Every structure is written in C-alpha cells, then in structure tokens.
Amino acid sequence: MKTLSENKCFGGEQGVYSHASKACACEMTFGLFLPAEAQEGPVPLLWYLSGLTCTHENAMVKAGAQAWAAEQGIALVFPDTSPRGEGVADDSEYDLGQGAGFYLNATQAPWAAHFRMWDYLAEELPAALDAAFPLDMERQAITGHSMGGHGALTLAMGLPGRFRSVSAFAPIANPTESDWGKKQLGAYLGEGADWASHDASLLMAAQGFDGPVLVDQGSEDQFLDLLRPEALAQAMAARRQEGAFRMQKGYDHSYFFVSTFMEEHVNFHAEALYA
C-alpha cells in the first residue's frame, strides 16, 4: 500500500492510496476518508462508486460526502472506476474502456486481462482495506452515481449479506435494454452471456435486496432514456421492496444533484449501519 496523500478533513483524514491489484493486473488507486472516531477503533464503511469517465477523485472532491460522514462517524471509500495504465486496453469512446469498467468481470478480448472490477470490489479491495485501516467490515453499506449506481445496486444484490443498505443517484437501472449497457455488456461479456446478473432492474425483480434501498433520480436528467429508471421503480414496487424511489423535480445528472441529496443518503446508511 502506497500513501499518495493525506489531508485533515472535517476532523478526520482524507487519504489517497495505491496498491498493486492482482484482480486488475495493474496499479489501482482509491480514496479513503476516515472520521475522527477511527483513531479510537474500527468504524463502519460506506462505499461510493463513481460513474463513466470518473476516477477515484471526482466524488471525493465534488460530492460533499465527508462532512456528513464525519457527523455520523462513518468511513468512505472512493474506488476507481476501472483499471488504468500502459498496457491496459482502452477505447476512443468515453463509455468503453478506461473510466468505464461497469463493475463486472470481462471475459472477452482485449478486456479480460484487466477489467475484473467485480473481483476487485467484491474481494481484493475489501481485504486490503481490512488489513490496512481501522474499519469494521461487518458494517458496510454502498452507494454510487450513474454507472456507479448500477454497480452499487448489482453488487448489493449480487453479494447477499455483505451490505446493510444500498442507495443510488441516477443509476443506469436497466442496462440490458439500454445503449448504456448493451454496448458495454456485449464488449466485455460477449453476446449470449449472462447479462441479467448485471442489470439492477432484473435483479430487483428476481430477488430484491435484504435491506433498505434508496434511489434518487433527477426529473431533468439529460440521460433519462439511457438510465431507464422506470424499470427499476416498477420492479421495486412489484416486489414491495423496502425502501424508496424518489423523482427529484428539476435536477439533472450532475454532481450538483448528487451533493444536494448526499446528506440524506449518508444519514440513510448511518441508520442501517448503526441499527
């Protein structure tokens, strides 16, 4: 584990670290906020997964999450969205390749060698965090924005018992029926592969989540047709899923939207983490 930076932040510390990842076969970077309570012992952990084109840094500096996490005594981890570096496959389009890992394990060339974000987030990074920092890994929750909202929902439902709560800001909710999904699932997994396990709406309909769910979507989101939030809302209603789907009038897809509702999301997770 390499320390890239550490800064005092809301009484705690915002760090940026890198480590050699076996899952992604490259150096991976993440941000970690530790509240002041971490000096006394392990604290609960909230994961934040970012969207297309983002790195670990976007939410770390734009979402305003540290202030609310500090109030609740919760750590925040900001992983990168994909493997990176020389020799890692990429694409000229912004929505494929580096910055667009889609939180899955690729099986197709040229992506399979590095794009194993599911294994990285489900197994490798949690183990590295547990070994190096004062975190209570029995108390975890997860959230994310856009592609990261997709990742948060699919990881939460795909890893039963791991997370006590899940939330999402404008998630890519139904990728098997959207151009933000068909393109990436086809490239990374191939046609005819198991796409359903990476579709939050299908997972919600099939199994749901054993805990509370909170989804916020802006009514003026410029990507609504690609996100397909109505599919997730319908699946949650049909399943009578514990939680809420909220359409927020006038908000778009930006971090102005995310930061507006971040306090509510952190408090939502704190209630589950401290239950």
Side-chain angles (χ1 to χ4, degrees), residues 153 157 164-166 203-205 207-215 232-245 268:
L153 290 163
M157 288 184 277
R164 295 194 181 185
S165 52
V166 59
L203 285 170
M204 181 61 68
Q207 66 189 69
F209 176 68
D210 186 20
V213 177
L214 175 60
V215 179
L232 179 59
Q234 290 165 7
M236 288 177 66
R239 187 163 193 86
R240 300 178 181 176
Q241 170 68 46
E242 176 190 3
F245 181 101
F268 163 79

Side-chain angles (χ1 to χ4, degrees), residues 142-186:
I142 191 166
T143 187
H145 173 228
S146 193
M147 180 185 72
H150 144 79
L153 290 163
T154 56
L155 280 158
M157 288 184 277
L159 299 170
R162 174 71 62 88
F163 302 103
R164 295 194 181 185
S165 52
V166 59
S167 73
F169 301 86
I172 298 174
N174 189 202
T176 62
E177 298 296 332
S178 167
D179 288 342
W180 269 1
K182 290 180 180 179
K183 174 181 179 178
Q184 294 84 359
L185 295 174

Side-chain angles (χ1 to χ4, degrees), residues 1 3 8-9 11 20 25 33 49-50 76 96 100-101 114 125 169 184 192 201 203 219 227 229 245 261 264 269:
M1 190 78 67
T3 300
K8 191 78 172 179
C9 182
F33 170 73
L49 306 186
S50 289
L76 298 166
L96 191 67
H114 297 280
L125 185 54
F169 301 86
Q184 294 84 359
S201 297
L203 285 170
S219 68
L227 302 172
F245 181 101
F261 298 101
E264 294 180 46
H269 291 295

Side-chain angles (χ1 to χ4, degrees), residues 235-257:
M236 288 177 66
R239 187 163 193 86
R240 300 178 181 176
Q241 170 68 46
E242 176 190 3
F245 181 101
R246 310 188 304 190
M247 187 64 73
Q248 302 291 359
K249 185 177 180 180
Y251 286 90
D252 60 14
H253 198 71
S254 70
Y255 266 96
F256 297 111
F257 160 64

Side-chain angles (χ1 to χ4, degrees), residues 75-100:
L76 298 166
V77 62
F78 304 95
D80 203 347
T81 56
S82 77
R84 297 180 190 273
E86 188 176 350
V88 176
D90 202 5
D91 192 89
S92 59
E93 297 292 327
Y94 75 96
D95 57 356
L96 191 67
Q98 295 186 35

Side-chain angles (χ1 to χ4, degrees), residues 53-90:
T53 75
C54 292
T55 69
H56 70 281
E57 190 175 32
N58 295 71
M60 190 179 79
V61 300
K62 291 181 179 180
Q66 292 92 336
W68 314 121
E71 282 194 4
Q72 298 289 352
I74 294 172
L76 298 166
V77 62
F78 304 95
D80 203 347
T81 56
S82 77
R84 297 180 190 273
E86 188 176 350
V88 176
D90 202 5

